[in-house]
């Protein structure tokens, strides 16, 4: 069809059509042949109900196919391929199957399995009817002979709808899109999922999974593209062109039709009502377009989004935040990626009496902005930020080709050109020219037409209820009980037999020949050596005490990545808990030289952004060739300022970083209270959605002083500390302000010896910024009035000493139940499996991989219905954890963790741990080690962290060698370690209080210390 060189990506794009089916295919050929090879196929999927069929189908097609009839080829690939991306995603109107690998053989193996999965899945055959019951929903019979509903997607969506923000946004769509497919939740509503039948399931597949209704993508070399096209054609040539099918899947526009906005109010669960605390939420969401947006208008909306809510000093964000009417600003601002875009803004933590005031304030602020406009600096900052974002091709963690594919689909899915979503040069030039001619009026007219004059909007309130969670659970139980009571004995027995049939399938191993039919690598296909990156280290640079590190990379597009770290070990341990508040404050405060508005404009005009972050870095003994289990008492603590800019702005960026570090001023009492309320609200939401992370942090803190500090900074203890700080800010401001000033003093000296500078960019760019770097470093405080830093490789960090004392106070450690308002749980168990001084071998990675992608996945996810389960071993202290995600179970999951030891023992005795099983586990471990091709910034940051931590190439290679040499003896060792783990580990669950209490009774009940948030 056509081709085009894309200078931004340094790649050539080709778009073809499959002759027989008219399926479209995009090839992306980057000049850098080291980039990950990427394949993706997408189907336009148009829900017509809330039963989640598109989402369940996404899970199900990967559970076996005609050519690869194993129960779960997806998991087999997870176990034993070198994938750098392996996933499937359900959007509102499309379902996407992308994979990536750096290894060519592995890439085509993955591609072959995925193509067979989408075009010949077992789940739509009579033989595969069990798959819907596993992945979607089913009636199961519990130990009391009572029916209950299980299913992976069912559990996942119960977790999604337990999050108030998700609940709000998903219900907004119902009223914003009454007439098109966005009215329906493609993920599925928990109450509606059990309405899905096998007949509807198969029908949806037949109407959507057809080449004519697909878009395919490959990124790689020309040779890769040709081979991929041949493989795709092998499947598509069996089909004919079906224009009716594509027409029926077309997404129709929702027309703006409301003469007056809609107001809706829904309950959401809280653990306890408190009328003195704002617990209401409100957002206003506008439908922005009811026809396709021109590229320039879309870019204009990105710029306007930045102007309105992109920084803490953006007028809509700032005035809402400072209003005191709520605890924090919510709403995503601009939401794109679909055919129709929305803009949402609101607040949470609102008193019931203030709801109407928040509504009125949002609209009044927009009217004021329309009247007053934006300054030239604000507009320049917005446009520069947009241009920088478009220039920085790979800024996230995904392989570059994955992002190209997913972005292309935002137009391609609607029968528009895929390049319109990835190439913006002409549209950006047009926007810049238009804004130059019209100035602020260009944006204020958009506010008037798209927001103020637009009545097609939804005002959605969530009001708190301390009974709705229990009522929802009880409603589900009663519904199931009513159904069970309506059954005849034959009907009940049929369900029981079907339930047992699924368990039999799940418990039965695939035949060896079926597993081996899935293409795999040999160990000889794997590189024996790690991917390593060079770093240039100069101590005492320019005659100072500062360390300068440089990372020369390719593909940075002339961008320089700057990391300035300041040692903060001099801060007293009792004030460590204040650091997260301080980091948040430093995105809101003024400095001695600049107001916050000036700072944000300066950042937008001259940089691609500056982030501030805390970092604890565990130090390793550089003399040791192996990983040795330690109590993690050697560490560094830094406050990092991480920026990015073009070469000519390096001097300005370093100057601003210094101003932020040396000149930060405390915020006012009112602002401090607002920041604390916002952080508390964010934490509470995060615990409900990401309880597995908090479970792991809580457990690890019991066994390791550095992990205890980390949990105090990022975990449940930090949330508790924030609430205490809020009380002090409200009632003892002078004392709290003095504390803030003291914490600022721990880094504001910015002495030469306590500052480290890390730079990443291409060689010419780094060479050209030498003068800026020298000026910055030589101007730092020489630190003559400060005590010298200890050698932290030899001396315990002062925080570690205090943390060890704290740990002693809480011995013996106890199981904890952290109660949340949710319909699902996050269940963790963890403990150390190595004594201090023991060698932790890379060979143990293989049995752990075998366990987590085998027994744990099959038991906790497939059989018991959790959405996910994870396990990891910390190679510094020997801490092992297992944790579930969005889990309908609690005790059964803990029992599964306990049974892992016996499972490994049985596998050894049955000689089921074959050479092929070990090979697959080894390959999976190597995939985790190597990862994808890193973007420039990540290369520089990884190299820097390796240097600071004392991680040596020799030790990394020793670990890899251990992985590659794994054999059955490592499984024996791991089994024995699990025995110790079962005796000494403890539990942390983040779960509804009722679930925790239920798990505390009965013969297998556990004793929990309840932690209420």
């Amino acid at each position: 069809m056509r081709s085009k060189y894309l200078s931004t990506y340094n790649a050539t794009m080709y778009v073809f059509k499959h002759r027989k089916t008219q399926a479209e295919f995009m090839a992306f050929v980057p000049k850098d042949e080291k980039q990950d090879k990427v394949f993706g196929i997408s189907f336009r999927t148009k829900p017509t109900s809330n039963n989640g069929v598109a989402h369940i189908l996404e899970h199900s097609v990967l559970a076996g196919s005609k050519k690869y009839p194993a129960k779960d080829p997806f998991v087999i690939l997870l176990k034993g391929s070198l994938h750098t991306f392996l996933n499937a995603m359900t959007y509102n109107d499309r379902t996407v199957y992308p994979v990536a690998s750096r290894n060519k053989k592995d890439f085509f193996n993955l591609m072959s399995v995925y193509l067979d999965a989408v075009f010949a899945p077992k789940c739509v055959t009579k033989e595969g009817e069990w798959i819907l019951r596993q992945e979607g929903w089913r009636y199961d019979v519990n130990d009391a002979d009572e029916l209950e509903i299980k299913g992976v997607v069912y559990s996942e969506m119960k977790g999604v709808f337990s999050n108030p923000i998700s609940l709000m946004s998903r219900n907004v769509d119902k009223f914003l899109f009454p007439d098109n497919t966005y009215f329906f939740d493609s993920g599925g509503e928990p109450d509606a999922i059990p309405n899905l039948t096998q007949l509807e399931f198969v029908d949806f597949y037949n109407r959507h999974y057809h080449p004519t209704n697909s878009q395919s993508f490959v990124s790689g070399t020309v040779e890769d593209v040709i081979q991929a096209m041949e493989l795709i054609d092998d499947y598509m040539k069996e089909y004919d062109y079906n224009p009716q099918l594509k027409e029926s899947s077309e997404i129709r526009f929702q027309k703006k039709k409301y003469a007056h906005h809609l107001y809706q109010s829904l309950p959401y669960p809280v653990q306890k009502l408190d009328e003195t605390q704002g617990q209401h939420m409100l957002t206003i969401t506008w439908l922005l377009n009811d026809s396709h947006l021109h590229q320039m208008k879309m870019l204009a909306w990105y710029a306007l989004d930045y102007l309105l809510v992109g920084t803490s000093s953006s007028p809509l964000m700032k005035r809402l935040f400072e209003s005191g009417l709520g605890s924090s600003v919510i709403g995503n601002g601009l939401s794109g990626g679909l055919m129709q875009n929305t803009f949402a803004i609101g607040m949470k933590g609102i008193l019931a009496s203030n709801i109407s005031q928040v509504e009125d304030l949002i609209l009044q602020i927009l009217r004021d902005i329309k009247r007053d406009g934006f300054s030239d600096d604000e507009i320049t900052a917005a446009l520069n930020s947009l241009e920088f974002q478009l220039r920085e091709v790979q800024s996230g963690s995904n392989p570059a080709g994955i992002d190209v594919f997913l972005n292309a689909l935002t137009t391609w899915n609607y029968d528009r050109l895929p390049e319109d979503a990835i190439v913006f040069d002409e549209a950006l030039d047009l926007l810049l020219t238009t804004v130059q001619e019209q100035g602020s009026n260009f944006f204020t007219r958009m506010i008037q037409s798209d927001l103020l004059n637009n009545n097609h909007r939804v005002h959605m309130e969530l009001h708190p209820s301390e009974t709705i969670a229990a009522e929802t659970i009880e409603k589900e139980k009663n519904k199931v009980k009513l159904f069970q009571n309506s059954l005849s004995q034959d009907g009940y027995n049929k369900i029981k037999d079907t339930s047992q049939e699924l368990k039999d399938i799940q418990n039965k191993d695939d035949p060896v020949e079926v597993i081996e039919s899935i293409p795999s690598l040999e160990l000889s296909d794997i590189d024996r050596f790690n991917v390593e990156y060079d770093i240039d280290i100069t101590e005492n640079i320019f005659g100072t005490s500062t360390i300068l590190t440089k990372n020369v990379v390719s593909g940075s597009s002339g961008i320089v990545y700057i990391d300035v770290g300041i040692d903060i070990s001099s801060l007293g341990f009792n004030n460590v808990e204040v650091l997260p508040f301080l980091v948040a404050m430093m995105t809101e405060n003024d400095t001695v030289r600049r107001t916050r508005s000036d700072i944000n404009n300066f950042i937008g005009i001259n940089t691609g952004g500056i982030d501030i972050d805390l970092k604890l870095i565990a130090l390793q003994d550089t003399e040791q060739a192996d990983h040795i289990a330690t109590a993690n008492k050697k560490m560094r603590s830094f406050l990092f300022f991480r920026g990015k800019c073009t070469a000519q702005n390096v001097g300005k960026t370093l100057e601003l970083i210094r101003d932020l570090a040396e000149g930060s001023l405390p915020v006012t009492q009112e602002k401090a209270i607002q920041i604390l309320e916002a952080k508390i609200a964010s934490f509470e939401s995060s615990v409900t959605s990401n309880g597995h992370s908090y479970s792991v942090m809580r457990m690890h803190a019991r066994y390791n002083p550095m992990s205890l500090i980390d949990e105090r900074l990022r975990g449940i203890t930090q949330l508790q500390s924030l609430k205490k700080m809020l009380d002090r800010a409200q009632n003892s401001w002078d004392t709290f302000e003095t504390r803030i000033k003291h914490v600022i003093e721990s880094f504001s000296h910015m002495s030469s010896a306590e500052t480290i500078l890390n730079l990443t960019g291409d060689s010419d760019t780094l060479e050209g910024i030498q003068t800026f770097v020298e000026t910055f470093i030589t101007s730092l405080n020489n630190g003559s009035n400060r005590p010298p830093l200890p050698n932290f490789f030899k001396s315990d960090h002062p925080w570690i000493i205090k943390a060890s004392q704290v740990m002693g106070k809480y011995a013996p450690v106890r199981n904890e139940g952290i109660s949340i308002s949710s319909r699902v749980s996050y269940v963790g168990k963890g403990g150390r499996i190595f004594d201090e001084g023991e060698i932790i071998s890379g060979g143990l990675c293989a049995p752990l991989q075998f366990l987590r992608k085998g027994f744990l996945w099959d038991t906790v996810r497939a059989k018991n219905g959790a959405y996910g389960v994870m396990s990891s071993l910390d190679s510094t202290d020997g801490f092992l954890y297992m944790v579930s995600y969005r889990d309908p179970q609690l005790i059964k999951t803990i029992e599964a963790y306990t049974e892992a030891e016996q499972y490994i023992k049985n596998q050894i005795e049955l000689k089921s741990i074959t050479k092929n099983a070990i090979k697959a586990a080894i390959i999976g471990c190597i995939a985790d080690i190597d990862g994808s091709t890193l973007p420039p910034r990540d290369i520089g940051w990884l190299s820097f962290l390796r240097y600071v931590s004392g991680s040596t190439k020799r030790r990394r290679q020793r670990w890899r060698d251990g992985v590659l040499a794994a054999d059955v003896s490592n499984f024996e060792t791991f089994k024995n370690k699990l025995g110790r783990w079962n005796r000494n580990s403890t539990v942390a669950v983040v779960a509804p209080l009722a679930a925790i209490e239920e798990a505390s009774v009965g013969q297998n009940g556990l004793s929990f210390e309840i932690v209420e948030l």
Side-chain angles (χ1 to χ4, degrees), residues 795-811:
S795 301
D796 288 352
H797 192 289
W799 299 355
I800 290 286
I801 297 170
K802 294 289 186 181
S804 298
Q805 295 170 358
V806 170
M807 288 178 67
K809 292 180 182 178
Y810 291 99

Side-chain angles (χ1 to χ4, degrees), residues 622-646:
T622 56
E623 300 300 316
Q624 288 286 349
D626 293 297
H627 288 267
I628 306 296
T630 70
N632 273 18
K633 294 186 177 180
K634 305 293 186 293
M635 76 170 198
R636 294 293 304 271
S637 53
F638 288 100
L639 182 67
F640 274 104
F641 298 82
R642 305 190 65 204
K644 52 188 176 182
C645 61
T646 53

Side-chain angles (χ1 to χ4, degrees), residues 313 318 378 589-590 594-602:
S313 58
K318 178 181 171 67
E378 288 172 329
N589 68 332
D590 300 334
R594 295 178 173 92
T595 66
R596 173 46 55 179
S597 179
D598 290 338
I599 292 168
N600 286 339
N601 285 338
F602 190 98

